[in-house]
Amino acid sequence: MTAKYHYSLSLCILTLLALFLSLSSFAQKATIEGTVTEDDGPAAFANVFVLGTTIGTTTDFDGKYQFVVEPGTHKVVCSFVGYNPDTIQVSVGAGEVKTLDIRITQNAQQLKEFAVTGTRKTDTEAAVLMDIRKSMQVVSAVSSEMIEKTQDSDASAVARRVPGVTIIGNNFIMIRGLNPRYNNVMLHDVFAPSMEEDVKSFAFDIVPSQVIDRMMIYKSPAAELPGDFAGGVVKLYTKSIPDEEFTTFSMGTTFREGSSFQRFLQPERSGLHQLGINDGFNDLPDGFPRDIRRVTNTQGEGAIDQVGRSLRNNWLPEEVGSGMDRSFAFARASKFKIFGKEAGNITSVTYNNAREIFDVERNDFNAYDFINNQSVPIYEFDDQQYNHHIRAGIISNFAVQLSPDHIIEFKNLLSVSNTTQYINRRGYDLEFNYAPNNHSFDQMYRGVYSGQLTGRHFWDEDRTRLNWTLGYGYAYRDQPDYRRYRADVDTTTGEETL
């Protein structure tokens, strides 16, 4: 009992001693309090603090504040968003309560006018999904945002990712198993010019993936789609004003078994042939008769011979090394201003150079002999075929955004290609009893240009829209030189006779 009493007494004394020391310490402090006001009354939530310290507080709804400081001279700062900060020097003594009322004034400044503009995005996954949902047709789509997640280098590789689509030779597209004649390709809502004169063909590989905005593949008919398709319609759109500037360059090589690093035979060509351009090296000379059949020796002795000598009579192929296939791609995007309006340009250049060597067996047979149970051959030929393919393409798009709802674009596509072929045919014709050593030289130049001036306009919060296009397309096919000659080989002596 006595021990517990002494313990309680000690605890009470210690508590009183701690309280006394705390009151003594507080008695040495000073207090600053007051009210912060502005033109319309009390300033609630204004910051009041001692300069250079963390001592301070925030005013209440009535603009009142209070905090404790050490005795001495202090600089009290009052600040509030939109008002001029005020600094007041005040001196307080130990235990003193200092009243410091502060009036703050508005910081009136003329802000510069600015406009917030937005750009309608069409190359994102969300934008493409929205187009699919709004469409009443069966449609698949690929956006630029999706393409960036892949390693696809051109539109040909992109189209191969779409279910039901097959690209043959980078030019011909099959949709749902139907051949190219049943499918259409549209570039910016205009029919894409064909790379072939007698079949629908578009060079997908000349469009780098970096400049593709989106690709839509429609597999069911609609009023706004061409009516001459049964498989599908591919709509390809390229970018206008880029989101950011960029420059890319890529280079690739391909090894072809049986073709790369081999002896390669080809017709004589000029230097510009490497760019897929015909500079007239193998064109017919000026004044050459339009119909050689009308030329006779009655027009003059040796008239026919003179016409023949006017041609470039080189009947031997050049021998070079085939090397490896090569491809290059360059793309540049830039943004700039035209009369204060946002504008941009995207330009890409592609180049492909490939050589192929084929050993082709050609056989033909008479009607099957059912009595002797055998096929009677007509001929057995072996063709050594050397093909050289060159393709160069340029895409250049310019765009000006007149306002967030109005944009004008000028889009250009140019593609040129050249195919050179040399064939040496040997073997035996059993029906006519001769062994040929035939030679064929051929060069084919193709080119296509597509230019479009387009506009996109939106009104009434996108409920009314107008899209228009003025397009021009040009395609050509030039076969300046196709030569062949036949030599018969004496199988006994090996001598050849033209």
Side-chain angles (χ1 to χ4, degrees), residues 300-318:
E301 187 175 352
I304 296 179
D305 293 342
Q306 185 177 358
V307 170
R309 293 190 184 98
S310 68
L311 299 172
R312 189 178 294 275
N313 288 291
N314 186 350
W315 299 96
L316 296 176
E318 295 180 335

Side-chain angles (χ1 to χ4, degrees), residues 205 359 433 448 464:
D205 57 343
D359 187 1
N433 193 29
V448 60
T464 303

Side-chain angles (χ1 to χ4, degrees), residues 182-228:
Y182 299 108
N183 306 304
N184 286 322
V185 179
M186 304 185 73
L187 186 63
H188 312 124
D189 295 320
V190 176
F191 281 110
S194 176
M195 297 295 294
E196 305 287 340
E197 69 279 2
D198 55 356
V199 69
K200 294 177 181 178
S201 163
F202 177 72
F204 283 90
D205 57 343
I206 70 170
V207 183
S209 59
Q210 299 98 321
V211 305
I212 297 176
D213 184 81
R214 65 195 185 279
M215 180 186 292
M216 313 286 290
I217 295 92
Y218 294 86
K219 303 175 183 178
S220 60
E224 67 270 18
L225 295 177
D228 60 340

